[in-house]
Amino acid sequence: CGTATEDREAIIAQRWDEAQNAAQMLGAEIHPPLVDDLDIFYTRELLQKLTAVVRKVQPAILLLQSPEDYMEDHMNACRLGVSAAFFRGMRNFVTDPPCAPAGHAVTLYHALPYGLYDGLRRKVKPGQYADITDVLPAKRAALACHRSQKEWLDHSQGLDSYLIAMEDMSREIGQWSTRFPYAEGWRRH
């Protein structure tokens, strides 16, 4: 099974390169992954690592995935982000690596779930809207940087389906806003 390990390492390296390219395109600062995307589980060890990042970065806003989504790792990432924001100031929570507690204020916003519905098929409406009309081409280009995801989704769901779905959902959210042609919807935690 030596090739399986080598293949996994190559896939992880490819995803990291893709994420770096997307971040560079957007002018965003990127931090190394703590685990592979499908290995996101709500564990103390991962929470200690993520809380260390939150303490170091001291964000004023955290944009998190929806608490309810179609992928378990997405929901776990959300739960970890909420907990890390809470634990950032707790003196008795030891992080990895050890970091002093941070007292900064942070506001959490949750993205809408993929497809705009919860697990019980109820439409999820945002509390806030962000106009993305002018940056939609950049969002599409950054999303397209994730070639490994694109190749898999193209094969399993149809050519460029996830890019088209992103634009369609952004248009629908824009219609909900009654103000913007394309928008993202966010819910404050």
Side-chain angles (χ1 to χ4, degrees):
C1 291
T3 47
T5 301
E6 292 169 7
D7 289 346
R8 178 177 164 78
E9 290 175 8
I11 290 167
I12 291 170
Q14 179 184 2
R15 289 180 184 156
W16 175 235
D17 288 343
E18 293 168 358
Q20 288 178 305
N21 291 339
Q24 183 178 20
M25 180 180 292
L26 296 172
E29 182 178 344
I30 189 168
H31 299 270
L34 302 175
V35 294
D36 189 26
D37 65 342
L38 296 176
D39 293 336
I40 301 173
F41 297 101
Y42 193 92
T43 64
R44 182 175 188 83
E45 294 77 20
L46 187 50
L47 185 54
Q48 289 172 311
K49 291 177 181 182
L50 184 58
T51 303
V53 173
V54 172
R55 286 178 178 181
K56 178 184 173 196
V57 174
Q58 297 190 18
I61 295 173
L62 276 179
L63 302 177
L64 302 171
Q65 289 174 288
S66 179
E68 197 170 281
D69 206 303
Y70 73 106
M71 292 289 292
E72 194 72 23
D73 59 324
H74 297 182
M75 294 185 289
N76 288 338
C78 172
R79 289 183 59 218
L80 286 159
V82 169
S83 294
F86 183 74
F87 294 158
R88 77 190 184 287
M90 293 180 68
R91 290 191 309 261
N92 61 343
F93 188 76
V94 178
T95 61
D96 177 19
C99 295
H104 68 285
V106 61
T107 304
L108 283 58
Y109 291 94
H110 295 283
L112 297 178
Y114 180 80
L116 309 177
Y117 288 88
D118 69 14
L120 299 175
R121 302 301 300 147
R122 295 175 297 212
K123 193 168 287 261
V124 177
K125 292 282 191 153
Q128 294 82 27
Y129 296 92
D131 181 8
I132 64 165
T133 306
D134 292 342
V135 298
L136 187 65
K139 181 177 180 175
R140 181 181 171 84
L143 191 56
C145 284
H146 297 284
R147 292 180 314 281
S148 60
Q149 289 285 319
K150 180 182 183 322
E151 291 165 6
W152 176 77
L153 291 168
D154 283 353
H155 177 73
S156 65
Q157 298 176 19
L159 184 64
D160 288 336
S161 65
Y162 79 112
L163 298 173
I164 293 166
M166 179 274 296
E167 289 180 358
D168 290 346
M169 285 185 280
S170 298
R171 185 181 308 106
E172 184 172 349
I173 297 165
Q175 291 169 350
W176 294 352
S177 78
T178 69
R179 296 175 35 201
F180 311 123
Y182 293 90
E184 287 180 347
W186 296 92
R187 297 169 291 156
R188 187 171 178 176
H189 187 89

